Amino acid sequence: MAEVTTKEFVAKISDLIPSEENPRKIGRKAYEALKKSLAEFPEMKKIRPIVIDEDNNVLAGHQRLYALQDLQ
């Protein structure tokens, strides 16, 4: 059976590197709703974290990253 090692830590948004190959795109209306949701419910950042690798490359959560960057 394969093993998976995970680690949880806090990283600066500015240190995260989005993937150029991110296939997911959302419309402007959905993006604005995401920003509103993150602003109103900051605990969502812990419930749905942005997944990165050991080099700070974003593996999952690109849209949340962009929304959080806009909210800064």
Side-chain angles (χ1 to χ4, degrees):
M1 177 173 245
E3 293 184 20
V4 176
T5 302
T6 62
K7 188 188 308 184
E8 186 174 325
F9 62 95
V10 176
K12 292 181 183 178
I13 292 172
S14 59
D15 291 342
L16 303 184
I17 305 164
S19 171
E20 293 179 12
E21 298 178 14
N22 175 31
R24 185 154 185 254
K25 305 288 183 224
I26 61 176
R28 192 77 189 148
K29 191 173 185 178
Y31 181 73
E32 292 302 323
L34 175 60
K35 283 182 13 183
K36 182 179 179 187
S37 175
L38 288 168
E40 292 178 356
F41 305 106
E43 62 273 6
M44 189 56 98
K45 291 181 278 186
K46 289 185 179 186
I47 296 170
R48 296 285 318 262
I50 296 170
V51 179
I52 61 173
D53 66 11
E54 62 276 357
D55 297 319
N56 287 346
N57 295 302
V58 176
L59 304 175
H62 285 81
Q63 303 309 317
R64 282 174 276 139
L65 171 61
Y66 301 142
L68 290 168
Q69 288 172 332
D70 279 354
L71 291 170
Q72 286 188 341

